[in-house]
Amino acid sequence: MATPGSTAGPVRAAGRPQRLRLGDILVAQKVVSQEQLKLALDEQKRSGRRLGRVLVEMGFVAEEEIARALSRQLNLAFVDLKQHHFNPGVVLKLPEVAARRFRAVALEERGAKMLVGMADPTDLFAFDELTRILKKDVEPVVVTESEVTHALDRVYRRTEEISGLAKELQQDLGESPVDFGALDAALGAEDAPVVKLLQSLFQDATQVGASDIHIEPQEDRLRIRFRIDGHLQAQAETDLRVAGAVALRLKLMAGLDISEKRHPQDGRFNVLVRSHPVDVRISTMPTNYGESVVMRLLSRQSGLLGLESLGMPAPVMGRFREILHRVSGMVVVTGPTGSGKTTTLYAALNEVNTPALKVITVEDPIEYRMAGLNQVQVNDKIDLTFASVLRSALRQDPDVMLIGEMRDTETAQIGMRAAITGHMVLSTLHVLQAASAPVRLLDMGVPRYMVATSLQAVIAQRLVRLICKSCGADYSPTPQELRFIEAGWGGSGKGGYRKGKGCTHCNGSGYRGRSGVYEMLEMTPRLVEAAAKEDVGAFVRIAKEEMAGHTFVHHAAELAANGRTTLHEVMRISHSEE
C-alpha cells in the first residue's frame, strides 16, 4: 500500500540507518549556507537545543525542508502526517513514553516489519530501542518534528486510560453501596483511581481543545462527552456505579455541599493541566439516575483576544471601535448561549482598558480575570444582585461599565440610565437578531425614550466552524445548496467552496477551530426616530433595511465563498436566525 505524502524514491530495505551530521547534509544540498550553519552551531552551543530546531527558529530553513533533505540523503520516504490516516491498533503498539522520547510514531504494520515515522532517522540509539520495543524490524520514514508532536497529542487520546481508571474505581467501590465518609477520606491519596480518572479527563479535554466536559448518568452506564468547536463528541462510557464517586470528588474540589443531591449547585475551581492553570466552572443537576455534572473549561494560557482577532468584517470593526471610545451610550451584544458574546465583550474591554479610564464589571459568573478592571461577582444568596451592585457601582465614578446580562427590567433600566448620564455601558441580551434587541428592551418595560436616546449599537453574532486546513478540499455545492445560495444572498455558487475530508488534526470531523460572524445595527437618526414611535413593526422593518446585505448570514456566506467554512455551517446559522 502506498504511503500518503511520499515524495522520495522507494523506501530502502529495513535496516540500521547510518549516522550523519545534519548540518553537513543541509549544506551539501544547499538548503542552508555555510555561514548560516556556523551561526546556528554557535547558537546551539549557547542554548543546548537541537540544531534543526535552532535553524528553524532563526528563520534559515523551514522544518519540512530539513525533513525532505534527510529523506533525499538517506533514500527514505517523506511522509506528511497531516494526510496520514492513523490506525489506532498500530499506533498504540508503540507506548506513548517511547513515542515522545524518540519523536516517533508507528504508521503501518507490514508483516515482520513496522513502518515508523521518525523526526531523526539518523538517531541510532532510537532506532535500536524502537526495534527492541516493537519486536519487529523497523522501516523508518522521515516526518517533521512538529507534526510528530501534534500527531502524538491526537492519537494518544486518553479514552482507554479513562475507561480503565473508571473500571479500577468501580472495583475499588465493589458491589456494596458507597460509604461517602470512607470514600472522602480515601480520595485524599494521589493514587486514588477517581483522582487519576479526573486528571486524565482534564488533560484529554485541554489536549483536544474542548470547551466543556459533560458527565451524564444514564440508565445503565455513565457517559462522558466533550464539547469541541460547539459540538458534543462521545469520549468514554463506563459503569454507572462510579458516577457518585466522580460527582463527590468534583463537588469537594468546588467547595459545594456534598450532602445535597436534590438541588442543582454551581461553583468553580482551578486545576493545573500540564503546568498550565485552567479555570473550571461546574454545574451539578439531579437527574433520574444520579447527578449530571457539566464543567466549562477556561484556559488562562489562551489569553484575551483583541478586536482584530475576533474576525469582524473591517467596516463593522471600525464602527464598533469608534462607538466604544464615545463618552456615553450603550452597546448590546446578542446571540444564543455559546455564541461568543462574552469573548466579544472582553475584547471590547481590552480595547478601552487604559489607566485613564475606570472600568467596573458586574458578572455572574466572572469568566475572565483582566488586570486593571474592577470585577464584581453577583451573589443572589446574599442579595448581591445585578441591580444592587449597579446602584453602588454608579457611586464609584466609573467611565465604562459591563453588565454581564440584562435579565430583568430593573437591571435594564439602571443600565440605560447610566448610559444616558455619561457612562459607556456594555451588556448582553438573549435575542437572535440585532433588530430584535431594542424591541426586547421595550418588552422588558424600559421607557421608549431611554431606548431611543441611550442605545448606540447592537451586535448580533454566531460562531461557525472553520474547515480544517490539513484536510480541506475543493467542493461542488449540491443542488439544494445552490438553491440556498441563490435564494439566500443572490450568490452564483461559483465561489471557492471547500469541505474537510476528516483527518487526525480534526478528529475526523473536517473542522478545526471556530470564527465569529457578525452583524451590527447602529442607531442612526432614522432608527432613533422609529424607536421613539409606537410602531414596533415599522422599527424592525427599517432596521432590516439598514442591515440589508450585511447580516451575520452574509458574513458567513462570504467565509464559505472564500473556502474558510462550509455551506452546511452557513445553512445552520441561517436556520438559527429564523
Side-chain angles (χ1 to χ4, degrees):
M1 185 170 65
T3 304
S6 298
T7 58
V11 178
R12 56 178 278 180
R16 201 167 187 263
Q18 54 184 314
R19 182 64 188 173
L20 299 169
R21 291 170 55 174
L22 177 63
D24 293 342
I25 294 172
L26 297 178
V27 171
Q29 297 192 23
K30 296 183 170 51
V31 177
V32 297
S33 67
Q34 194 69 51
E35 293 75 16
Q36 289 174 326
L37 176 60
K38 184 179 183 305
L39 290 171
L41 287 170
D42 291 341
E43 174 62 22
Q44 181 196 28
K45 197 175 295 182
R46 188 190 65 79
S47 65
R49 289 174 297 171
R50 287 189 293 271
L51 178 61
R53 177 55 47 200
V54 172
L55 285 165
V56 171
E57 289 177 355
M58 294 182 77
F60 294 155
V61 63
E63 191 178 17
E64 187 172 318
E65 288 182 274
I66 294 177
R68 291 187 181 276
L70 276 172
S71 81
R72 288 190 294 268
Q73 181 70 32
L74 299 172
N75 192 27
L76 298 176
F78 169 77
V79 174
D80 183 356
L81 292 182
K82 294 192 294 291
Q83 305 300 328
H84 185 82
H85 292 279
F86 293 92
N87 180 343
V90 173
V91 173
L92 298 178
K93 288 183 182 294
L94 181 61
E96 182 178 2
V97 173
R100 292 190 183 278
R101 180 184 177 190
F102 301 125
R103 296 170 292 142
V105 58
L107 299 177
E108 190 178 323
E109 205 163 11
R110 297 178 172 179
K113 298 177 183 179
M114 180 73 79
L115 191 72
V116 177
M118 298 180 67
D120 183 7
T122 69
D123 187 338
L124 303 183
F125 176 76
F127 181 87
D128 291 342
E129 282 297 294
L130 291 170
T131 302
R132 183 185 63 80
I133 293 168
L134 292 169
K135 295 181 175 62
K136 285 179 178 287
D137 291 334
V138 169
E139 188 173 338
V141 294
V142 186
V143 293
T144 62
E145 183 176 348
S146 63
E147 288 300 333
V148 168
T149 303
H150 193 89
L152 296 182
D153 285 343
R154 289 292 176 185
V155 298
Y156 285 99
R157 294 288 302 276
R158 288 174 168 76
T159 304
E160 297 295 327
E161 180 183 345
I162 289 167
S163 298
L165 288 168
K167 288 176 183 175
E168 186 181 339
L169 175 59
Q170 171 194 336
Q171 292 167 2
D172 280 10
L173 294 174
E175 297 291 335
S176 58
V178 177
D179 180 349
F180 288 109
L183 182 62
D184 185 17
L187 285 172
E190 282 301 308
D191 61 347
V194 69
V195 175
K196 290 182 180 178
L197 171 62
L198 292 176
Q199 285 175 340
S200 293
L201 266 182
F202 285 121
Q203 287 176 4
D204 199 30
T206 54
Q207 187 170 295
V208 298
S211 61
D212 302 83
I213 300 174
H214 291 244
I215 301 174
E216 305 160 319
Q218 305 294 300
E219 183 176 6
D220 55 354
R221 66 194 188 284
L222 179 66
R223 181 172 64 180
I224 299 173
R225 296 191 288 175
F226 291 167
R227 189 175 294 279
I228 302 172
D229 290 338
H231 290 251
L232 282 172
Q233 297 182 13
Q235 167 63 15
E237 290 187 354
T238 187
D239 195 281
L240 182 61
R241 287 172 296 175
V242 308
V246 172
L248 171 66
R249 180 61 180 175
L250 289 170
K251 288 164 79 172
L252 285 168
M253 292 168 69
L256 302 179
D257 185 353
I258 61 174
S259 64
E260 178 55 76
K261 298 181 188 176
R262 299 169 299 172
H263 295 287
Q265 297 188 69
D266 297 310
R268 69 186 308 153
F269 57 89
N270 300 318
V271 292
L272 278 176
V273 180
R274 294 182 176 177
S275 302
H276 297 302
V278 176
D279 288 335
V280 182
R281 281 170 40 198
I282 180 173
S283 170
T284 69
M285 184 178 68
T287 68
N288 265 0
Y289 305 109
E291 285 185 284
S292 171
V293 180
V294 175
M295 292 177 285
R296 168 67 54 86
L297 309 181
L298 301 167
S299 175
R300 298 185 194 173
Q301 186 187 11
S302 58
L304 295 165
L305 298 177
L307 286 182
E308 295 82 1
S309 304
L310 294 179
M312 283 185 177
V316 172
M317 187 178 70
R319 294 301 301 149
F320 186 35
R321 176 171 274 143
E322 190 276 325
I323 291 168
L324 286 174
H325 288 284
R326 291 177 183 173
V327 174
S328 63
M330 175 176 278
V331 175
V332 174
V333 180
T334 71
T337 300
S339 59
K341 298 187 296 296
T342 302
T343 300
T344 299
L345 286 175
Y346 269 89
L349 289 181
N350 214 8
E351 176 78 15
V352 300
N353 183 25
T354 65
L357 297 177
K358 175 156 185 169
V359 183
I360 296 178
T361 75
V362 187
E363 305 169 74
D364 184 23
I366 296 172
E367 294 203 29
Y368 299 100
R369 291 171 173 82
M370 184 188 291
L373 304 188
N374 300 276
Q375 296 175 275
V376 183
Q377 167 75 54
V378 168
N379 188 343
D380 290 332
K381 293 179 181 177
I382 58 172
D383 201 30
L384 198 65
T385 62
F386 274 105
S388 64
V389 174
L390 283 172
R391 280 191 290 268
S392 299
L394 287 171
R395 294 192 286 272
Q396 292 277 312
D397 188 28
D399 297 290
V400 180
M401 295 179 66
L402 167 67
I403 304 172
E405 183 183 349
M406 290 188 290
R407 298 176 179 173
D408 53 62
T409 302
E410 187 178 14
T411 301
Q413 287 190 357
I414 295 172
M416 285 287 184
R417 195 168 289 114
I420 291 174
T421 56
H423 307 85
M424 174 53 67
V425 181
L426 310 176
S427 191
T428 68
L429 268 179
H430 280 288
V431 294
L432 296 181
Q433 303 171 4
S436 304
V439 178
R440 171 68 179 136
L441 289 169
L442 293 174
D443 289 343
M444 291 172 69
V446 177
R448 192 172 295 277
Y449 78 91
M450 281 190 179
V451 175
T453 56
S454 65
L455 189 62
Q456 299 291 315
V458 181
I459 288 180
Q461 66 181 79
R462 299 290 189 276
L463 290 175
V464 294
R465 292 180 293 172
L466 298 177
I467 296 169
C468 176
K469 292 180 180 178
S470 298
C471 64
D474 291 342
Y475 172 74
S476 298
T478 65
Q480 180 188 4
E481 289 169 337
L482 284 173
R483 287 194 295 272
F484 171 75
I485 292 169
E486 293 165 2
W489 63 90
S492 65
K494 294 181 180 179
Y497 297 107
R498 293 172 67 80
K499 189 174 183 179
K501 295 180 179 179
C503 65
T504 55
H505 278 217
C506 59
N507 294 321
S509 68
Y511 296 97
R512 189 172 176 212
R514 290 189 291 177
S515 178
V517 289
Y518 302 87
E519 65 186 27
M520 186 170 83
L521 176 67
E522 189 173 355
M523 293 297 285
T524 60
R526 184 184 178 206
L527 279 170
V528 169
E529 183 181 346
K533 298 177 181 177
E534 296 288 339
D535 191 348
V536 172
F539 173 84
V540 173
R541 186 179 65 255
I542 294 171
K544 289 186 176 181
E545 289 173 3
E546 294 273 337
M547 292 190 300
H550 301 285
T551 66
F552 56 71
V553 176
H554 286 84
H555 186 194
E558 184 181 332
L559 293 181
N562 291 331
R564 296 192 61 208
T565 190
T566 61
L567 287 168
H568 177 271
E569 285 292 282
V570 182
M571 295 171 75
R572 179 179 63 82
I573 66 162
S574 175
H575 295 325
S576 76
E577 181 188 30
E578 298 169 3

